């Protein structure tokens, strides 16, 4: 079992976050009531529009010009113990597929008007040098029997994620999506969520890549063992990532928190990204105000995490792929919310009467 230690120094990216603009949100809400539609008739689209206006600190909000997906790739030692339906070699092969433009994330990004970047944070294999400048190590440790990372590595991973967010925002990204790729990564993600929400493993564990009953049992046991090891550090987000997370999850936590510090909206994806978000919010309080959830995964732990974050997902499509795919499926809704709030005529402009008919 991990011994209780002094609290880890919190990186700057995980400090509390200032909220989006309350004034712009109010202006957007007031504008919604002047548009040529019954009040509230666009439902959730109206709330999305008000959120994006608050994030941009302007009403009406500007159209998105550079939505950007960053896929964080990393392997996990626990994959060697039968918790996944696929071998770790698939991670490196899929990274090559991302670079070639042949993955679901590439197809969905093209349709939704976004671009894709993949970064190797902890792939077990060597990858293209163009994507491995932020690489922390080859595969994170097997969390059921050892720490995922050293203290230096977890801090470096969080810093790498924050630096990647800075790179993207500085290059003009106006909305960010984190995606994940890594065989075995739903095991540490579920362990983190179950630990932070005090949930029994059997209630949180899903099928991941599609494991059979025996694989599910092995996965549940690994998560139980990881949670036992992590119990002494559950109140220390950085130490929790070190013990029971991994380099990719730590990098995503740094990325999501730093995006909020840079006042850039984020669409969360599925289980793995939301696990990183849950850990980030434990330290970077207020970051969640900069995020919306693209969808609800079929993985049980994802619903548990969303409930804990108090974020309602936009879509329920029985997806569990990762890569940023669920967030990209929801991106057109953000475009639509901006378009309706920005481009619709007001009752006054259109000469439409707002008086209630008498009967």
């Amino acid at each position: 079992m991990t011994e209780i230690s002094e609290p880890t120094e919190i990186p700057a990216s995980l400090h509390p976050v200032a909220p989006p603009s309350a004034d712009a949100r109010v202006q957007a809400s007031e504008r919604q009531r002047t548009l040529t539609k019954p009040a509230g008739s666009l439902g959730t689209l109206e709330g999305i529009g008000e959120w994006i206006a608050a994030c941009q600190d302007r009403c009406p909000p500007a159209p998105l010009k550079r939505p950007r997906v960053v896929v964080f790739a990393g392997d996990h030692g626990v994959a060697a113990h039968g918790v996944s339906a696929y071998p770790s070699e698939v991670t490196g092969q899929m990274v090559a597929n991302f670079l070639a433009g042949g993955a679901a994330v590439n197809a969905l990004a093209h349709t939704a008007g976004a671009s894709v970047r993949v970064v190797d944070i902890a792939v077990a294999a060597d990858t293209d040098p163009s994507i491995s400048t932020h690489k922390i190590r080859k595969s994170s440790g097997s969390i059921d029997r050892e720490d995922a990372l050293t203290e230096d590595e977890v801090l470096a991973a969080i810093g790498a994620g924050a630096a990647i967010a800075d790179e993207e925002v500085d290059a003009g990204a106006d909305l960010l999506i984190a995606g994940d790729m890594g065989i075995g990564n739903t095991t540490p993600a579920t362990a983190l969520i179950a630990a932070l929400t005090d949930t029994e493993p059997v209630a949180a564990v899903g099928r991941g890549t599609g494991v059979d009953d025996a694989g599910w049992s092995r996965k549940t046991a690994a998560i139980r063992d990881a949670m036992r090891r992590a119990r002494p550090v559950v109140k220390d987000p950085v130490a929790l990532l070190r013990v029971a997370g991994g380099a990719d999850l730590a990098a995503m936590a740094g990325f999501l928190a730093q995006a909020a510090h840079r006042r850039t909206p984020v669409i969360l994806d599925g289980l793995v990204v939301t696990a990183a978000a849950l850990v980030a919010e434990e330290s970077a309080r207020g970051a969640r105000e900069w995020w919306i959830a693209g969808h609800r995964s079929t993985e049980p732990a994802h619903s548990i995490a969303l409930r804990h974050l108090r974020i309602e997902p936009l879509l329920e499509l029985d997806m569990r792929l990762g890569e940023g795919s669920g967030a990209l499926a929801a991106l057109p809704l953000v475009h639509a919310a901006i378009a309706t709030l920005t481009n619709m005529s007001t009752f006054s402009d259109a000469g439409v009467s707002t008086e209630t008919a008498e009967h």
Side-chain angles (χ1 to χ4, degrees):
M1 183 179 293
T2 300
E3 295 181 359
I4 299 175
S5 59
E6 292 296 317
T8 310
E9 181 179 352
I10 301 297
S13 61
L14 295 185
H15 289 179
V17 177
S21 170
D23 288 343
R25 190 186 296 271
V26 169
Q27 291 170 23
S29 178
E30 292 175 346
R31 178 174 170 82
Q32 294 281 15
R33 291 194 290 271
T34 71
L35 301 178
T36 49
K37 59 179 177 60
S41 59
L42 286 178
T44 299
L45 282 184
E46 296 188 16
I48 299 171
E50 291 162 17
W51 169 76
I52 200 75
C55 292
Q56 293 185 3
D57 192 16
R58 59 174 290 172
C59 181
L64 298 174
K65 295 181 178 179
R66 194 175 186 270
R68 184 73 157 163
V69 185
V70 180
V71 182
F72 291 81
D75 282 305
H76 296 267
V78 73
H81 305 300
V83 301
S84 174
Y86 295 91
S88 291
E89 288 76 13
V90 170
T91 303
Q93 295 162 3
M94 281 301 300
V95 165
N97 191 29
F98 294 145
L99 292 174
V105 65
N106 304 106
L108 290 166
H110 178 74
T111 298
S115 58
V116 178
R117 173 185 178 183
V118 58
V119 292
D120 173 0
I121 298 295
V123 178
D126 292 323
T127 57
D128 191 292
S130 66
I131 67 167
S132 57
T133 56
H134 292 288
K135 189 162 187 164
I136 303 302
R137 58 183 279 174
K138 287 188 175 181
S139 187
S140 300
S142 186
I143 59 170
D144 57 335
R145 59 199 69 189
E146 63 183 345
D147 288 353
L149 304 166
T150 67
E151 187 165 337
D152 286 345
E153 286 169 344
V154 72
L155 292 173
I158 293 168
I164 291 164
D166 284 335
E167 290 165 9
E168 294 302 330
V169 175
D170 290 344
D174 48 12
L175 180 141
L176 290 169
I177 291 171
D180 67 275
M181 178 61 221
I183 299 302
N185 64 7
T186 62
T187 297
T190 302
L192 292 172
I193 292 168
L196 285 171
T197 61
D198 194 24
T199 302
E200 288 295 322
V202 292
V205 178
R207 297 285 174 171
T209 49
V211 293
D212 58 16
D213 288 347
W216 182 90
S217 295
R218 289 190 294 270
K219 183 175 180 179
T220 303
I223 289 169
R224 179 201 63 213
D225 292 344
M227 290 174 65
R228 184 182 300 119
R229 295 186 65 258
R231 193 170 296 125
V233 296
V234 74
K235 300 296 185 183
D236 183 337
V238 176
L240 183 61
L241 288 166
R242 171 178 60 78
V243 173
D248 50 348
L249 284 149
M252 281 184 272
F255 176 85
L256 295 168
Q258 185 65 9
H261 281 295
R262 294 297 305 270
R263 306 188 69 78
T264 302
V266 171
I267 306 178
L268 298 178
D269 192 42
L271 170 65
V272 179
V273 172
T274 307
L278 187 64
V279 180
E281 175 64 18
E282 286 294 303
S283 184
R285 294 289 183 182
R288 59 176 288 277
E289 300 295 336
W290 295 89
W291 309 331
I292 55 173
H295 78 124
R296 186 192 306 278
S297 168
T298 58
E299 290 286 309
H302 189 223
S303 289
I304 294 168
L306 290 174
R307 188 162 57 246
H308 197 78
L309 286 167
R310 302 189 304 281
I311 299 176
E312 285 293 321
L314 300 180
L315 300 172
E316 299 204 32
L317 300 175
D318 293 335
M319 297 175 71
R320 55 179 175 85
L321 175 61
E323 301 180 9
S325 56
L328 282 166
L331 178 56
L333 297 179
V334 180
H335 289 303
I338 293 171
T340 52
L341 182 56
T342 301
N343 299 333
M344 283 182 68
S345 296
T346 65
F347 286 109
S348 176
D349 291 339
V352 175
S353 174
T354 58
E355 294 183 6
T356 303
E358 294 183 3
H359 297 281

